[in-house]
């Protein structure tokens, strides 16, 4: 009896298999940088944790899956302890329609 | 083929048509460092322009992971390999710099897609750019092989065909892509029907649907694979830069005074990573000096936003602030030799740069000019440099002001001060 297809090793052209190779890099640095970026936009620890918790945001949520929720929180706090949160005030003049696609 | 000047390559190059330049050019900057991959931009475009039958696999805006993702699958690595094949070992940059910004990234010594086609002596005339036609399967999944950070990767053999990766050592980033409305479009160069044209008023590249016969030569020749075939109409379609918004002709509710507003994908961006504009071009194709134009400032003056694969030779008008955490070598292949300088500057921005960066998505109006009002120093913070070093950044109470096409102030962003939250155990320590 021939082996079941699911047990055969995947071939490089198989579109349904994930193939990856190692590339040197550091996802911890990626997380630190993202935290710094959003702190420049005024995001505090709670805002940032929400960004990491939300599965809709693949970049941040992927990192949370990698490091786990506890370590993610610790890392967010450690970065903010260094760089703080930049308070910025944004004013659009004149105030804009918040639902521009649906008319006024 | 005539010779044209490509400022991104710092030299002249062959292109099938004579140089002719628009008065202004639609251009944009995407800050990769801030993208959280929510795909709101992709959906904003899709729900506006490509929701009909035959457009199911069409994503004029897409966000893909790098290094392994891509839409269509492998679009960039395939073309890079083809170029390497035509010019083995020769796809390199000379690293000169020039104060006049005539060749800001040095001079490219390799072959563009047009020159590679010439060397290959590609026939017929419609194959004037080296390229390939992706298969249907390659278009079908918008981000096949998408990177997602997971926990420790399984050991070899746990999953057939997978390899063991060192724990916590994978990196990835998201690349946002729309048509680059190139100065020397590959798509336009290849169309046997001359159905593709570049608008003289804003440099937007469009496909005339009444002329297109669906030969797909543009799909083959666009190095970014941003021209796409629609089987139900048997024509090709592409991003139109939301030109009704650019012209100020969208709904009265958005542009009551007829000033240009940002495209759908830009204005929907959750991470505020996108800024677009119309930059002034002279008759020779040079960007006219406009130091107070936010795009001119970021791209030409500070050079922190870089073109995507400039070596392809189409002079794309989309520019990217490269991600700080990604290995330099990879980024240099993607954005050219300007990467080191761009990342150094961006990681620890000076006061003017920081102020201009705050203008991203502060308004829906397209900005034509900025001003920075200087305030007192309000603090110092520590930032992470690309090599992991920490550096001190000085923060000032500065205000960036943005002005629209009519010179009206439409956005104002003030940097107040850095704030710190004390850990809970210190709250009552005073
Ligand atoms: S990105 Fe492609 S489709 Fe867009 S103008 Fe350039 S060559 Fe044409
Ligand atoms: S500019 Fe407009 S048409 Fe082009 S990708 Fe963005 S939303 Fe789509
Ligand atoms: S909307 Fe902005 S943040 Fe979200 S995926 Fe698109 S570019 Fe990235």
């Amino acid at each position: 009896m021939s082996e079941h297809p699911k047990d055969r090793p995947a071939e490089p052209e198989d579109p349904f298999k994930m193939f990856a190779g190692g590339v040197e890099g550091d996802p911890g640095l990626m997380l630190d940088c993202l935290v710094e970026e959003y702190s420049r936009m005024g995001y505090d620890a709670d805002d940032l944790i929400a960004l990491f918790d939300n599965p809709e945001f693949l970049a941040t949520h992927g990192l949370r899956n990698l490091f786990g929720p506890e370590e993610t929180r610790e890392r967010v706090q450690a970065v903010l302890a260094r760089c703080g949160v930049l308070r910025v005030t944004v004013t659009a003049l004149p105030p804009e329609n918040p639902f521009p696609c649906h008319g006024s | 083929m005539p010779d044209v000047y490509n400022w991104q390559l710092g030299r002249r190059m062959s292109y099938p048509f004579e140089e002719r330049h628009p008065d202004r050019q639609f251009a944009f900057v995407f800050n990769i460092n801030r993208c959280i991959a929510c795909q709101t931009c992709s959906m904003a475009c899709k729900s506006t322009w490509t929701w009909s039958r035959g457009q199911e696999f069409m994503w004029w805006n897409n966000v893909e992971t790098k290094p392994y993702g891509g839409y269509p699958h492998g679009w960039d690595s395939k073309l890079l390999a083809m170029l390497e094949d035509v010019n083995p070992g020769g796809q390199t940059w000379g690293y000169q710099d020039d104060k006049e910004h005539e060749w800001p990234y040095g001079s490219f010594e390799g072959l563009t897609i047009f020159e590679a086609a010439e060397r290959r002596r590609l026939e017929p005339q419609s194959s004037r750019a080296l390229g390939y036609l992706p298969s249907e399967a390659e278009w079908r999944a918008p981000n096949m092989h998408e990177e997602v950070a997971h926990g420790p990767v399984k050991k070899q053999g746990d999953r057939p065909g997978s390899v063991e990766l060192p724990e916590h050592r994978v990196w990835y980033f998201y690349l946002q892509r729309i048509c680059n409305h190139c100065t020397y479009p590959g798509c336009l160069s290849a169309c046997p029907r001359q159905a593709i044209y570049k608008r003289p008023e804003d440099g937007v590249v469009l496909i005339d649907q009444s002329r297109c016969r669906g030969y797909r030569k543009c799909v083959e020749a666009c190095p970014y694979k941003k021209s796409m075939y629609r089987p139900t109409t048997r024509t090709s379609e592409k991003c139109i830069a939301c030109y009704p918004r650019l012209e100020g002709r969208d709904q009265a509710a958005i542009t009551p005074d007829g000033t240009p507003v940002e495209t759908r994908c830009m204005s929907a961006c959750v991470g505020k990573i996108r800024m677009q504009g119309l930059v002034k071009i002279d008759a020779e194709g040079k960007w006219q000096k406009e130091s107070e134009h936010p795009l001119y400032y970021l791209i030409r003056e500070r050079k922190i936003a870089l073109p995507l694969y400039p070596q392809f030779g189409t002079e794309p008008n989309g520019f990217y602030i490269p991600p700080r955490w990604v290995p330099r070598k990879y980024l240099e292949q993607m954005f050219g030799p300007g990467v080191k300088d761009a990342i150094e500057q961006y990681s620890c921005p000076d006061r003017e740069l920081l102020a201009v960066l705050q203008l991203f998505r502060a308004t829906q109006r397209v900005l034509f000019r900025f001003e920075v009002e200087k305030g007192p120093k309000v603090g110092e913070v520590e930032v992470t440099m690309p090599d992991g070093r920490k550096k001190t950044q000085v923060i000032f109470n500065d205000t960036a002001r943005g002005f629209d096409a009519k010179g009206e102030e439409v956005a104002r962003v003030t940097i107040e001060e850095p704030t710190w939250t004390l850990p809970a155990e210190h709250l009552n320590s005073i």
Side-chain angles (χ1 to χ4, degrees):
Chain A
M1 209 169 68
S2 67
E3 85 187 295
H4 193 279
K6 82 172 170 44
D7 299 323
R8 275 185 222 141
E11 289 160 27
E13 295 301 307
D14 186 339
F16 297 106
K17 284 287 170 191
M18 180 84 98
F19 282 88
V23 188
E24 205 177 309
D26 180 3
L29 183 60
M30 177 176 177
L31 193 152
D32 289 1
C33 289
L34 277 164
V35 174
E36 272 181 23
E37 290 298 327
Y38 278 80
S39 74
R40 276 184 200 172
M41 291 159 71
Y43 279 56
D44 64 16
D46 288 343
D47 299 334
L48 276 155
I49 301 291
L51 212 58
F52 282 92
D53 282 348
N54 190 332
E56 302 290 341
F57 304 148
L58 290 178
T60 37
H61 195 65
L63 288 163
R64 176 193 181 270
N65 285 347
L66 176 66
F67 289 106
E70 273 317 302
E71 192 177 339
T72 301
R73 178 178 291 273
E74 282 164 22
R75 280 178 170 267
V76 168
Q77 282 164 346
V79 176
L80 291 186
R82 272 196 295 105
C83 70
V85 176
L86 208 56
R87 216 146 49 78
V88 287
T89 318
V90 183
T91 320
L93 312 158
E96 283 174 346
N97 177 359
F99 305 109
C101 308
H102 306 293
S104 53
Chain B
M1 278 204 226
D3 250 12
V4 296
Y5 188 73
N6 183 325
W7 67 263
Q8 297 175 0
L9 304 184
R11 67 169 171 85
R12 302 193 71 79
M13 62 164 207
S14 333
Y15 185 68
F17 297 103
E18 299 286 344
E19 264 182 83
R20 219 165 348 128
H21 298 284
D23 302 332
R24 281 194 177 270
Q25 173 64 53
F26 168 76
F28 56 87
V29 170
F30 290 171
N31 183 356
I32 295 178
N33 292 278
R34 289 189 179 169
C35 179
I36 47 172
C38 60
Q39 303 283 1
T40 313
C41 48
S42 306
M43 290 315 296
C45 179
K46 189 141 212 38
S47 59
T48 310
W49 303 114
T50 64
W51 45 268
S52 302
R53 269 191 70 205
Q55 294 179 310
E56 290 83 356
F57 300 142
M58 216 180 247
W59 295 90
W60 292 353
N61 178 107
N62 78 290
V63 179
E64 62 198 38
T65 54
K66 287 291 168 209
Y68 297 111
Y71 167 76
H73 183 58
W75 64 273
D76 51 350
S77 50
K78 280 194 176 181
L79 188 56
L80 288 167
M82 288 172 79
L83 284 163
E84 188 61 31
D85 193 42
V86 181
N87 186 25
Q91 296 296 91
T92 53
W93 290 83
Y95 282 74
Q96 304 90 333
D97 199 356
D98 179 277
K99 286 196 187 62
E100 298 301 311
H101 306 293
E102 288 306 305
W103 44 353
Y105 319 124
S107 160
F108 181 59
E109 290 161 350
L111 298 180
T112 66
I113 55 169
F114 308 110
E115 293 160 344
E118 260 185 336
R119 182 171 295 186
R120 274 259 171 102
R121 293 183 203 285
L122 288 182
E123 292 292 342
Q125 215 186 358
S126 54
S127 300
R128 285 182 281 204
L130 188 72
Y132 74 99
L133 208 53
S135 68
E136 268 189 46
E138 287 170 338
W139 284 113
R140 219 169 279 153
N143 201 5
M144 179 87 80
H145 295 200
E146 176 163 355
E147 270 82 18
V148 178
H150 274 295
V153 173
K154 298 251 168 65
K155 293 208 167 46
Q156 190 128 27
D158 280 3
R159 230 182 256 164
S162 63
V163 294
E164 189 175 357
L165 296 178
E167 197 177 329
H168 289 190
R169 296 295 290 171
V170 285
W171 56 270
Y172 61 99
F173 67 94
Y174 288 88
L175 184 69
Q176 314 70 30
R177 301 207 303 116
I178 67 172
C179 165
N180 291 294
H181 298 278
C182 307
T183 304
Y184 305 114
C187 58
L188 184 154
S189 78
C191 177
R193 296 273 302 161
Q194 305 206 341
I196 304 184
Y197 62 104
K198 196 165 168 64
R199 302 205 313 179
E201 64 270 37
D202 52 21
V204 168
V205 176
L206 296 175
I207 303 176
D208 180 342
Q209 293 293 301
S210 63
R211 289 195 65 81
C212 176
R213 288 260 175 87
Y215 296 145
R216 285 179 259 190
K217 285 290 175 186
C218 54
V219 182
E220 187 178 339
C222 168
Y224 303 98
K225 297 292 168 253
K226 278 296 169 190
S227 179
M228 297 160 197
Y229 181 67
R230 179 171 175 183
T232 47
T233 55
R234 297 195 184 161
T235 56
S236 297
E237 296 181 358
K238 63 179 283 303
C239 156
I240 57 171
C242 291
Y243 67 79
R245 294 170 71 89
L246 203 56
E247 293 168 353
R249 286 201 292 117
D250 207 318
Q251 294 175 31
I254 306 174
T255 53
D257 56 358
T259 51
V261 283
E262 295 197 315
T263 68
R264 291 284 292 125
C265 58
M266 314 261 176
S267 59
C269 177
V270 172
K272 299 188 175 189
I273 80 151
R274 297 174 175 227
M275 181 186 271
Q276 73 173 77
L278 287 160
V279 292
K280 268 194 204 151
I281 305 292
D282 71 15
E284 290 168 15
K286 292 196 187 118
W287 286 34
Q288 288 186 34
K289 192 168 167 65
E290 293 181 279
S291 300
E292 291 177 344
H293 190 295
L295 290 198
Y296 185 92
Y297 176 79
L298 295 170
I299 297 162
R300 302 307 302 268
E301 202 127 313
R302 302 301 299 265
K303 298 186 249 180
I304 67 157
L306 305 169
L308 178 64
Y309 292 116
Q311 66 268 42
F312 292 163
T314 61
E315 208 184 277
N317 289 299
F319 298 84
Y320 293 80
I321 305 180
R324 299 195 260 160
W325 59 85
V326 172
R328 187 74 47 79
K329 237 174 139 193
Y330 184 85
L331 292 177
E332 278 175 354
Q333 173 174 256
M334 188 170 259
F335 301 110
V339 164
K340 180 175 181 290
D341 184 47
I343 297 190
E344 285 284 328
Q345 287 196 68
Y346 178 74
S347 298
C348 189
D350 59 32
R351 63 192 298 182
E352 192 173 47
L353 184 52
L354 183 68
V356 175
L357 288 169
Q358 303 299 333
L359 283 173
F360 276 65
R361 301 281 328 103
T363 170
Q364 291 199 55
R365 307 292 168 109
V366 175
L367 298 181
F368 284 71
R369 190 169 72 79
F370 74 90
E371 268 176 21
V372 178
E373 265 171 29
K374 291 192 172 165
K377 177 179 165 179
V378 285
E380 287 182 357
V381 298
E382 205 177 89
V383 293
T384 309
M385 298 305 284
D387 56 5
R389 259 182 316 124
K390 305 287 180 258
K391 201 170 164 183
T392 302
Q393 181 188 0
V394 184
I395 307 292
F396 296 88
N397 179 210
D398 291 345
T399 298
R401 301 167 66 198
F403 301 85
D404 70 5
K406 292 187 171 162
E408 300 287 332
E409 183 179 354
V410 287
R412 191 179 298 174
V413 188
T414 303
I415 298 165
E416 307 284 357
E417 59 187 347
T419 55
W420 281 269
T421 309
L422 283 176
E425 65 265 31
H426 297 309
L427 279 179
N428 299 320
S429 61
I430 301 175

